[in-house]
Amino acid sequence: MSFNLILLGPPGAGKGTQAKLLIERYHIPQISTGDILRSAVKEQSRSGIKAKEYMDRGALVPDDLVIEIIRERLTLPDTATGFILDGFPRTVAQADALASMLEGNGKSIDHVISITVDNEELIQRVIGRLTCRSCGQGYHLVFDPPVVSGVCNLCGSELYQRDDDKEETMRARLLTYESQTAPLIEYYGSIGLLRPVDGVGSIQDINGSLAKVLEG
Ligand code: AMP
């Protein structure tokens, strides 16, 4: 099965977790602007240095920077048979830019799945979140701890807490989501693409709900 999908939802809704399961199921790539920006920050590239100051305070990186990242990424051949956008678009300007770049390539978005979770649950999820430095696998201190504390089950590398997963920054990210990203629910709803999915429950059950939407 092949499709171009947007996963929409606040930080901590499970977009990244679900995207990883969808890759296994449908063999199409996940494109996470958050992951791409974090690698740029690690490499201390020019865009990484610029992005870091916004990311550290829970704000959005300027549209032109992320739009360029996506424009380049969508030219790679692995996107020819579909892709999963995770964390992009996050503003109406990004959504407009995406629509015109896809149109230019004779493509379009097939589904926008909006994963919904209430704010208090999002905060509990995110402040306990741990990420592997090497392979990016996610864990949670309480809900999904690694077998050995601080060590990735899959590759044995060190786990860390993202700077922007601290409670204060997370609250700022939720406000950013409400003001700048939530309008995309209306945006995609009005063109008939939006499919809401309840993001509370087991990871496998939520994945089943996503598959149901995708397989119609
Ligand atoms: P994420 O891993 O998706 O939660 O993204 C982490 C941070 O990267 C966000 O809080 C933003 O600062 C930045 N970021 C990721 N994707 C975007 C985007 N599409 N537009 C602007 N900033 C972004």
Side-chain angles (χ1 to χ4, degrees), residues 10-12 15 32-35 37-38 51-52 54-63 66-67 70 86-91 94 129 162 164-165 169 173 176:
K15 301 185 296 295
S32 156
T33 39
D35 287 349
L37 289 166
R38 277 184 290 280
K52 188 174 183 334
Y54 297 91
M55 295 168 80
D56 282 350
R57 56 188 161 85
L60 294 184
V61 169
D63 286 333
V66 280
I67 289 168
I70 290 294
D86 158 12
F88 181 94
R90 260 176 154 104
T91 63
Q94 291 177 21
R129 185 151 78 171
R162 280 169 44 179
D164 60 349
D165 281 349
T169 316
R173 289 163 70 202
T176 303

Side-chain angles (χ1 to χ4, degrees), residues 6-23:
I6 294 174
L7 288 180
L8 192 64
K15 301 185 296 295
T17 303
Q18 291 300 329
K20 294 213 160 47
L21 294 176
L22 296 176
I23 298 175

Side-chain angles (χ1 to χ4, degrees), residues 129-156:
R129 185 151 78 171
L130 295 170
T131 309
C132 174
R133 270 197 203 285
S134 171
C135 73
Q137 178 69 22
Y139 297 87
H140 191 281
L141 275 174
V142 181
F143 309 133
D144 180 22
V147 177
V148 178
S149 166
V151 178
C152 178
N153 295 350
L154 301 184
C155 72

